[in-house]
Amino acid sequence: MPAIERKHVRRVSPLFVVFGLVFLFAAYNLLHMVMHNKGPNPGAAVTDALGMSDPVTGLRYHVAVTATDAPYSQWQCRIMYYWYKKVRDMPGSDMGNFTRILHSGRTDHLMEEMHTFVVDPLPDGLDRGYIVLNRPWAFVQWLESATIEEEYILMAEPDHIFSILEEIAPTWMNVSLRMKEDPETDKAFGWVLEMYGYAVASALHKVKHILRKDFMLQPPWDLEVGKSFIIHYTYGCDYSMKGELTYGKIGEWRFDKRSYLSGPPPRNLSLPPPGVPESVVRLVKMVNEATANIPKWETLNRS
């Protein structure tokens, strides 16, 4: 995974779980129009009942997650926030504050659990059916108002570490929308179009990155945990009871986040059968640990 070059960078503390939420994107050439057509920014009035919005000085990574208020997004945020707090509290951790950037345009009940900044979604139709276009627009709105004391922003999806995100974000929006508008480009890049939009924006701003191949792993394709910092579970994990991968076919044992679109997975998921890679086993154990320790796990999303 890339990180912007900077002198005297310290190592991030151990494994930090990042979950594939429903994330969205927009464009800078629409910024003026959108700003004039939206109401007052609801994020400006957000209160933090838990007191987590106070800046933590001396720490280097502010974790920012864009999210919707859909149950599918909420339960993944709750698991992620559990692991963020656990890593933050480890000795020597460089984790600072956490912000969930909620681009639904309205508050939700998770604001009582984690620090949340509410921003507006794109006007209807601007995403052209590609919901990920809300994400850079959400970051632009947040960065306009946020006071970030930490040295870096760890953007939880698509898993980049930045120090000059504010400079890149408007170009990232513009490039992403332009790519979406071009049928040939849209077809070529598909669901990862906005990620390539970020890469193009970085190049335009002459931002250099350091590639860390061990930064993130993605079960079931990455087999061993090793010294990776992030588990990203975007792919379904399907196996026979003999431990054989049956990707593309529902397995006798499976874990796929898309099985839980309307509500959270149950506590105490069954562990994979013998022979399944370490990365998948670790993922399920970490999900189970989080759900066992999060209050009102199976009921909060239904309230």
Side-chain angles (χ1 to χ4, degrees), residues 79-285:
I79 293 177
M80 182 185 183
Y81 187 61
Y82 169 85
W83 282 102
Y84 152 77
K85 290 189 295 182
K86 187 162 185 175
V87 172
R88 180 199 61 191
D89 295 339
M90 289 179 176
S93 174
D94 281 336
M95 288 296 177
N97 284 303
F98 178 100
T99 301
R100 182 179 64 133
I101 308 171
L102 182 62
H103 52 73
S104 61
R106 58 181 180 268
T107 61
D108 69 356
H109 52 261
L110 279 191
M111 296 180 68
E112 299 176 3
E113 185 171 322
M114 63 189 73
H115 177 53
T116 300
F117 190 91
V118 182
V119 297
D120 289 314
L122 284 172
D124 291 342
L126 287 185
D127 62 14
R128 299 174 180 266
Y130 180 52
I131 58 173
V132 188
L133 283 173
N134 274 288
R135 192 163 193 256
W137 169 228
F139 267 101
V140 166
Q141 294 176 80
W142 176 57
L143 290 168
E144 284 180 341
S145 302
T147 300
I148 301 167
E149 299 293 332
E150 295 87 352
E151 193 170 3
Y152 298 97
I153 294 173
L154 194 155
M155 189 167 58
E157 177 69 36
D159 315 314
H160 294 157
I161 295 177
F162 303 91
S163 61
I164 53 175
L165 181 63
E166 187 171 6
E167 179 181 342
I168 297 173
T171 307
W172 172 27
M173 288 195 302
N174 185 49
V175 169
S176 297
L177 188 62
R178 289 292 185 90
M179 292 173 69
K180 184 63 181 176
E181 289 176 340
D182 182 78
E184 187 174 342
T185 305
D186 185 27
K187 182 179 179 181
F189 292 107
W191 188 252
V192 295
L193 179 147
E194 49 77 20
M195 298 183 189
Y196 285 94
Y198 168 78
V200 172
S202 297
L204 291 173
H205 286 276
K206 302 186 185 305
V207 175
K208 296 181 179 181
H209 293 78
I210 299 171
L211 179 64
R212 286 289 303 266
K213 293 184 178 180
D214 63 341
F215 197 79
M216 182 180 76
L217 60 88
Q218 300 191 92
W221 309 115
D222 299 309
L223 306 182
E224 298 178 355
V225 173
K227 295 182 179 180
S228 297
F229 301 99
I230 294 170
I231 294 179
H232 182 207
Y233 60 95
T234 189
Y235 298 103
C237 299
D238 289 276
Y239 289 88
S240 71
M241 295 311 293
K242 296 180 180 180
E244 300 166 335
L245 180 65
T246 61
Y247 189 78
K249 177 184 177 182
I250 295 178
E252 296 174 280
W253 181 93
R254 76 176 331 224
F255 175 74
D256 187 340
K257 63 180 184 179
R258 296 166 189 84
S259 299
Y260 307 103
L261 294 175
S262 59
R267 286 174 164 152
N268 197 26
L269 295 169
S270 64
L271 294 179
V276 170
E278 175 193 12
S279 63
V280 179
V281 177
R282 175 70 70 87
L283 167 61
V284 176
K285 286 182 176 179

Side-chain angles (χ1 to χ4, degrees), residues 14-32:
L15 196 61
F16 181 68
V17 182
V18 170
F19 301 90
L21 310 181
V22 182
F23 290 140
L24 323 175
F25 290 73
Y28 187 53
N29 57 3
L30 295 174
L31 182 60
H32 182 77

